[in-house]
Amino acid sequence: MRVGFVGLGVMGRPMAGHLIAAGHEVAVWARRPESAAPLAEAGARVHATPAELARHCEVVISVVTASADVEQLALGPGGLIEGLAAGAIHMDMSTIAPGTARKVAARYAEKGIGWLDAPVSGGEAGARDATLAIMAGGDAAVLERVRPLLACLGKTVVHIGPAGAGQVAKACNQMIMVSAIQACAEAMRLAGAHGVDLHKVRAALMGGSAASRVLEVMGGRMARRDFAAGIQSRLHHKDFAILMDEARQLGAPLPVAAQTWQQLNALMALGCGRDDTASLLRVLEPVQCKGA
């Protein structure tokens, strides 16, 4: 297929590479031209604007940061909507607000352009290993058309429902995962306050009912005090802002998520937004008073 790709960061670059390796004709656009260079060397064509990219593609995939970025990319001046032909598809794999997904889908529908919100779980490792879990919102027939592309990127694809539904599922994923990271941080803090070996506590917990992927990975980073690896905490902070705004609009009580959001707020205040979310441990650690 003729596939465009926008968003060539730690997730997008390996995902685009898998599509090239699978034999698809890949083109890219990047706000920073240097980020497109490795894919250009691998055979991807580079375009000057999103609209130009869209004119040459059957499907455009985007993995960018925020709702405003997706809306600008899709509907802004020189955006994808100016280049996509009727019958083409924009599949956004970012994590954005469900309402933004629905807005873009509605605008595309006026021009006969297909839309899927297909956020992913699995992080950088999942993107690199093509083992992402993909949650799709949009028309089922559109999903079937891009399924060969998704097969290059992930191991599970679930059609959640209409436009925006994929983002609802991703919000639920983030709520469970980051709240579990906070629980790990509290467990590691309690163990540390007792002066016991965090590595041994984690090993013991991994043998029992508390075992989880979050404890395995994030607990390990906390024990090693390795806060540089993985997903930057500012991205989870952005995700929680989305889901808490959804909770406000719907009147849905999310008390545990609300507490975790405040811990993320505190982490941002410490200036740790570009560190791994395992650095939630730092928020719990004592601060020495100046007069002590």
Side-chain angles (χ1 to χ4, degrees):
M1 298 179 73
R2 299 190 311 278
V3 184
F5 211 103
V6 178
L8 304 176
V10 295
M11 299 287 290
R13 188 177 297 120
M15 292 166 71
H18 293 318
L19 296 172
I20 293 172
H24 296 286
E25 185 180 329
V26 175
V28 299
W29 173 79
R31 286 179 291 186
R32 294 181 296 105
E34 62 271 18
S35 66
L39 290 167
E41 292 175 3
R45 290 177 293 118
V46 180
H47 290 284
T49 67
E52 180 184 312
L53 172 78
R55 278 191 284 271
H56 293 84
C57 297
E58 301 167 77
V59 179
V60 175
I61 299 172
S62 55
V63 186
V64 295
T65 302
S67 299
D69 299 320
V70 173
E71 189 168 344
Q72 180 69 18
L73 171 68
L75 308 178
L80 297 176
I81 197 168
E82 295 181 9
L84 290 170
I89 298 168
H90 178 191
M91 178 166 60
D92 179 58
M93 305 185 80
S94 318
T95 299
I96 62 173
T100 300
R102 296 181 190 115
K103 177 180 178 179
V104 176
R107 287 285 301 278
Y108 279 156
E110 295 171 0
K111 293 180 173 289
I113 300 166
W115 162 269
L116 287 172
D117 48 283
V120 301
S121 180
E124 182 180 354
R128 184 182 62 246
D129 299 336
T131 58
L132 293 168
I134 301 165
M135 312 159 214
D139 187 86
V142 174
L143 175 60
E144 290 309 309
R145 287 178 56 195
V146 301
R147 197 173 285 276
L149 302 178
L150 296 177
C152 301
L153 306 176
K155 63 178 182 179
T156 61
V157 181
V158 178
H159 183 219
I160 307 297
Q167 295 299 343
V168 173
K170 182 59 185 290
C172 294
N173 180 87
Q174 301 303 79
M175 187 163 42
I176 293 170
M177 180 184 66
V178 183
S179 295
I181 296 172
Q182 173 64 21
C184 285
E186 294 183 22
M188 293 297 102
R189 176 66 196 112
L190 179 62
H194 277 284
V196 301
D197 188 315
L198 300 189
H199 295 281
K200 291 181 178 179
V201 169
R202 172 183 165 276
L205 298 179
M206 284 299 298
S209 57
S212 68
R213 179 66 174 161
V214 168
L215 176 62
E216 178 186 5
V217 175
M218 294 298 191
R221 289 174 185 168
M222 292 173 193
R224 297 190 305 273
R225 299 195 69 79
D226 176 11
F227 301 128
I231 298 294
Q232 294 180 358
S233 59
R234 66 185 180 89
L235 300 177
H236 287 146
H237 182 252
K238 178 264 299 182
D239 296 346
F240 263 64
I242 291 172
L243 70 90
M244 293 310 301
D245 188 57
E246 294 295 312
R248 177 189 61 80
Q249 293 181 50
L250 296 168
L254 305 178
V256 173
Q259 290 185 329
T260 299
W261 189 34
Q262 291 307 312
Q263 293 299 103
L264 288 166
N265 281 341
L267 189 59
M268 298 306 103
L270 290 176
C272 299
R274 295 192 178 275
D275 292 339
D276 187 87
T277 307
S279 56
L280 278 169
L281 176 62
R282 289 170 165 165
V283 178
L284 303 171
E285 293 176 334
V287 177
Q288 188 71 33
C289 293
K290 292 181 181 179

